Amino acid sequence: MLSIYSSMGFFGQRSLFSIVLTRVILRLDIIVSIGYVKIIARGSMTSKVRSIDVANLAKVSRTTVSQVLNGVADARIGEETRQKVLAAARMLNYTPNEVGRSLVRGSTKTVALVLRDISLIEVDLFLQPLLSGIMKSARQAGYGLRVEGARGSLGGDPYGDLVASGMIDGMIVENPDAGDQSLARLVNTGWPVVQLGSQGLPFENTVQTDNQLAGRVATEHLLQLGRRRVAHVSYSTSEIRAVVERKAGYFDALKNAKIPPEMELVKNGDFESSSGYAAMVELMSAPGGPPDAVFAGSDAIGYGVIAAALDAGLRVPKDVAVIGVDDLRTSAYFRPSLSTVRIHPSLAGSAAMGLLIELMRGREPQSRCIYIASELIARGSTLEGFDNTPRVLSSANS
């Protein structure tokens, strides 16, 4: 896994003298420091011990090894099995990285936020308020936070590998792929995982918005303004359940208005505003003519759509009305200010961290599926003569 992280550092305060006698070639380096001498034994192991070796010796699964070494409180592992795993780990001298620390302290006091790709930090504007909500709640509970990217991992089991590393006590997964088998396997073990979004698994813990309802309400707002040629630009591909659900809401609204969908008016973005810009350029060349309204799957996509329309000489909202989903802080100050469905990303982050803390402490949460309320916020990108006073037109919760 690729990673960036912000967490409490751990540096030993005493000198290290560690010699591994089994299958290790030793090279001693003497480092003279102020007031004392450190002797460090550096070993290159001819056969590295892995968690599967511990599992085989203890005659348990690799997941059980990971849960025992990470001190997972709600893993439902018997004391006899736990002692077998610890004995096997000691016998094989298996204490990689943070696992040794975990065995001593019982917890790493660190959680991970796992993104589809670490590069999204640079382009996905939704992540800033989401991270803020997670970090505030994590800090209050005494946890550090790592940010990981699932894509780019050298292995085929990125989520299992992260757990097996022993560096975290739990994880939050943002925008999970619907068919991600690595994540599905981990969720089914009962290890502390909260998804911001959903894979539709029976035992998952999730924090989400009713995305289909958000898509329908946003599109209905455009239709109520008299727009009839309504396009949709999603914020990513159909691998993400939320993308599929928002698109389904768009089609629901068209069906209810008895407007046949035109597939040439449906485009996929890719998180950043530039992809919304490119999609709008294509839409303006659609066979039936440019749309008179666009439902953008996120605010960031909406910014790009508006920019492309203005660059082409179209007037927003007179010629084309645009609405997004998120209600980022910048949406109120964009010009024209962006109408949107507010889904409270900071609140979602805080709720996800709160649910994860309950799971890590071995408590049964009041609800394993938390829905965040949403509202339709109408601004200048859909309302002509808008006076910069946002209007909460409806609560998108039913």
Side-chain angles (χ1 to χ4, degrees):
M1 282 196 174
L2 302 174
S3 69
I4 67 171
Y5 55 93
S6 170
S7 60
M8 295 177 287
F10 178 76
F11 299 94
Q13 298 302 309
R14 61 182 182 273
S15 61
L16 171 66
F17 187 89
S18 175
I19 302 178
V20 181
L21 296 178
T22 306
R23 294 179 296 175
V24 176
I25 301 171
L26 293 178
R27 179 170 64 85
L28 296 181
D29 289 347
I30 300 179
I31 303 175
V32 181
S33 186
I34 299 175
Y36 63 92
V37 176
K38 281 186 180 178
I39 303 179
I40 300 178
R42 293 185 178 176
S44 60
M45 300 190 69
T46 59
S47 180
K48 182 179 179 181
V49 179
R50 302 166 300 166
S51 63
I52 189 65
D53 299 320
V54 178
N56 289 337
L57 182 60
K59 293 182 171 54
V60 298
S61 69
R62 182 181 173 186
T63 298
T64 299
V65 170
S66 174
Q67 291 174 331
V68 170
L69 297 184
N70 281 290
V72 178
D74 62 344
R76 300 182 180 87
I77 295 173
E79 183 60 25
E80 182 180 351
T81 299
R82 180 176 175 276
Q83 291 302 326
K84 282 171 58 179
V85 171
L86 292 176
R90 285 192 293 268
M91 187 178 300
L92 295 175
N93 197 30
Y94 180 70
T95 54
N97 301 324
E98 297 288 328
V99 175
R101 179 184 173 200
S102 170
L103 288 170
V104 175
R105 297 180 55 188
S107 171
T108 67
K109 298 300 288 183
T110 302
V111 299
L113 170 63
V114 183
L115 310 177
R116 293 162 56 80
D117 194 305
I118 205 70
S119 65
L120 289 176
I121 288 179
E122 300 177 9
V123 298
D124 189 354
L125 302 180
F126 180 84
L127 290 178
Q128 181 180 350
L130 179 70
L131 272 167
S132 176
I134 293 173
M135 291 180 71
K136 286 178 182 177
S137 294
R139 189 181 302 116
Q140 289 172 359
Y143 284 87
L145 177 68
R146 300 176 63 93
V147 179
E148 302 278 349
R151 292 184 177 177
S153 172
L154 297 178
D157 188 19
Y159 295 96
D161 290 344
L162 179 57
V163 171
S165 73
M167 295 184 292
I168 59 171
D169 298 334
M171 73 172 73
I172 297 170
V173 180
E174 196 258 350
N175 264 333
D177 282 357
D180 191 321
Q181 293 304 305
S182 173
L183 178 57
R185 285 193 296 271
L186 181 59
V187 168
N188 288 332
T189 68
W191 201 80
V193 181
V194 174
Q195 299 181 57
L196 283 158
S198 172
Q199 285 190 302
L201 301 174
F203 303 110
E204 65 185 10
N205 304 289
T206 70
V207 175
Q208 56 185 305
T209 295
D210 189 331
N211 286 292
Q212 186 163 346
L213 180 61
R216 177 169 62 79
V217 167
T219 307
E220 285 176 346
H221 173 60
L222 299 172
L223 295 171
Q224 289 165 0
L225 294 172
R227 310 298 170 127
R228 287 297 176 265
R229 190 167 168 75
V230 181
H232 173 52
V233 181
S234 68
Y235 70 85
S236 185
T237 64
S238 58
E239 294 174 340
I240 300 175
R241 189 181 177 104
V243 170
V244 175
E245 292 174 344
R246 290 179 193 180
K247 189 177 295 184
Y250 161 77
F251 285 124
D252 286 346
L254 294 181
K255 181 179 179 180
N256 293 340
K258 296 180 171 53
I259 297 177
E262 300 178 58
M263 295 313 296
E264 65 267 22
L265 295 182
V266 179
K267 303 292 182 182
N268 287 331
D270 189 20
F271 292 100
E272 57 185 310
S273 298
S274 61
S275 67
Y277 189 104
M280 185 58 181
V281 170
E282 292 184 26
L283 288 170
M284 289 186 291
S285 300
D292 60 6
V294 179
F295 161 43
S298 71
D299 283 9
I301 296 297
Y303 300 159
V305 168
I306 291 174
L310 295 177
D311 285 352
L314 297 178
R315 296 164 295 178
V316 180
K318 188 175 182 62
D319 298 322
V320 57
V322 181
I323 189 169
V325 176
D326 287 334
D327 195 27
L328 304 176
R329 287 187 177 184
T330 46
S331 294
Y333 301 98
F334 198 80
R335 288 297 177 264
S337 54
L338 182 64
S339 295
T340 187
V341 177
R342 178 184 291 161
I343 61 172
H344 306 280
S346 179
L347 179 60
S350 179
M353 188 64 213
L355 178 54
L356 184 61
I357 289 169
E358 293 295 296
L359 296 172
M360 291 187 297
R361 291 176 177 173
R363 300 172 183 169
E364 182 67 26
Q366 291 184 351
S367 174
R368 292 187 178 272
C369 182
I370 299 174
Y371 274 93
I372 302 297
S374 56
E375 301 88 34
L376 174 63
I377 309 296
R379 297 191 179 103
S381 66
T382 60
L383 301 179
E384 293 188 57
F386 180 66
D387 61 0
N388 291 326
T389 302
R391 304 177 191 178
V392 181
L393 296 186
S394 68
S395 176
N397 298 311
S398 61

